[in-house]
Amino acid sequence: MRLYNTLTRKKEEFVPLEEGKVKMYVCGPTVYDYIHIGNARPYVIFDTIRRYMEYKGYEVNYVQNFTDVDDKIIKKAIAEGVDSKVISERFIEEAKKDAEGLNVEPATKNPKVTEEMDGIIEMISTLIDKGYAYEVDGSVFFDTKSFADYGKLSGKNIDELEAGARIAVDENKKNPMDFVLWKPKKEGEPYWESPWSQGRPGWHIECSVMAKKYLGDTIDIHAGGEDLIFPHHENEIAQSEAANGKPFAKYWLHNGFINVDNKKMSKSLGNFFTLREIVEHIPYDVVRFFILSGHYRSPINFSRELMESAGAGLDRIKNAYKSLLFKESKAEGDMTEDEKRLADEADKFRIQLEKAMDDDFNTADAVTAIFEIAKFANVNVTENSSKEFVTAIREKMLMLCNILGIKPYDEVKNDSISEQEIERLIAERAEAKKAKNFARADEIREELSEKGVVIEDTRAGVRWSYK
Ligand code: AMP
Ligand code: ZN
């Protein structure tokens, strides 16, 4: 498995720090609003990378924080006349709902800044003790000049950065590139006690502290959107390596941006969409599929047309799968010699998918492997196929879809009936019709309808869908 490491600027073979295990940290959202369509990309991409590593047999410890201390949260809380916690807890719950909708596996741990203050204060104290940070009037800053490797991730040179920086906004700083670790409270803001002032941490320190606490001093993979390379991730490296005296993360992965109608998404341009707004028109699974259809490091453009085409692609996969389920419910018997040969041949799609994913997680090519197995199923699985053969192809297709977190079937919209039960009833109805028991056939149609399922008799057989 090879991955592109932002730190070394090349594709490298993945070698875990500890055999069979992966320690992965992904920067999470600031919870002052619903997550936006751009935030959906790191959710889906790093979940897919995690799933692939799990498929390869690694035990993945996946930590993603929620930034629940931030100016935007405080601003919103003041506007609504509520405590900051009311805002952050509300949008943590909403972000979790969106993640679930996108079929993102829950993280091993979702730490929150408000619950990690002791660790934050401890790391800042260590940085001061070791001479990497300094206090001025209740604020604490990281002294970027004291950390020789500053700039190694983003490839920026500290002197050039400084020359380019405008006059330090905060005149307490020794150097313009120094960044804040702790700041004193302003009137009306939430605050915590610390040795330096009643106040709150800067943004960057939380990830260094949480990664250390939940994963250790050195981790395998650190990930986030490419906007985080500088300064956030650069600062995380400085803090962690200065405090712990060890390398922080072995591999740094960054997703490219989602643009809207080829422009950067921004509230002022009026092209800013929360994921919640999008899923009113486009289902979550299409959004996921759309994100997987591009390479994670390339920018992708979000537009209605592209979403519609992603939806049509996903439908092709679902139709092939539904047809397999239907044929499976009617088929009987074991594989013939010819079918055995075809079933073996179908393993080429697994190899194709793995090859794509092993090359820096090329999900676009992995999706192609799924289209191809769908086509293979449409051509080779017929009404005369044996049950064993249909099952083998269907299970292979499902396994490949699962690796990417694609569900090749529609979600059951209510708990009243499972897909298997729907297929069983449809098969029973066909039997009833054959036996001219039309009363029973109608009864089954009625029962399915009550459970929200409509059926349609076509020449290719019965098709069903949710109402
Ligand atoms: P934020 O809440 O802005 O800190 O972002 C949470 C995550 O979403 C980070 O990993 C960001 O890099 C990522 N992100 C933000 N905007 C976009 C975008 N338009 N496209 C892709 N990723 C984004
Ligand atoms: Zn972070």
Side-chain angles (χ1 to χ4, degrees), residues 273-291:
F273 299 103
T274 65
L275 180 56
R276 214 48 81 81
E277 287 167 314
I278 300 292
V279 297
E280 277 178 26
H281 313 285
I282 298 150
Y284 277 112
D285 61 353
V286 175
V287 176
R288 183 177 180 110
F289 191 74
F290 163 76
I291 289 172

Side-chain angles (χ1 to χ4, degrees), residues 25 27 65 203 207 222 232-233 236:
Y25 185 95
C27 292
N65 65 309
W203 170 33
C207 294
H222 196 312
H232 184 54
H233 287 164
E236 282 190 38

Side-chain angles (χ1 to χ4, degrees), residues 7 123 126-127 130-134 141-159 161-162 174-175 177-179 181 208 217 229-249 252:
L7 187 62
M123 191 178 275
T126 304
L127 289 169
K130 289 191 168 182
Y132 289 107
Y134 58 93
F141 298 98
F142 189 95
D143 180 358
T144 40
K145 283 254 160 78
S146 70
F147 184 70
D149 277 345
Y150 195 79
K152 70 176 171 182
L153 179 71
S154 53
K156 292 185 193 288
N157 170 302
I158 193 161
D159 295 322
L161 278 171
E162 243 177 57
K174 282 204 250 172
N175 287 301
M177 294 321 295
D178 294 354
F179 58 90
L181 299 170
S208 287
D217 287 354
I229 297 173
F230 188 84
H232 184 54
H233 287 164
E234 196 69 66
N235 292 353
E236 282 190 38
I237 291 178
Q239 295 162 156
S240 293
E241 298 194 351
N244 304 329
K246 291 186 197 140
F248 182 29
W252 287 84

Side-chain angles (χ1 to χ4, degrees), residues 4 9 27 30 38 58 76 105 113 116 125 148 153-154 214 223 230 236 258 271 282 290 293 386 392 414-415 436 452:
Y4 181 85
R9 289 164 195 84
C27 292
T30 306
Y58 291 106
K76 195 152 196 168
E105 285 183 14
V113 187
E116 304 293 339
S125 303
L153 179 71
S154 53
Y214 296 102
F230 188 84
E236 282 190 38
I258 292 190
N271 64 352
I282 298 150
F290 163 76
S293 304
S386 70
N414 52 44
D415 300 332
K436 304 226 179 320

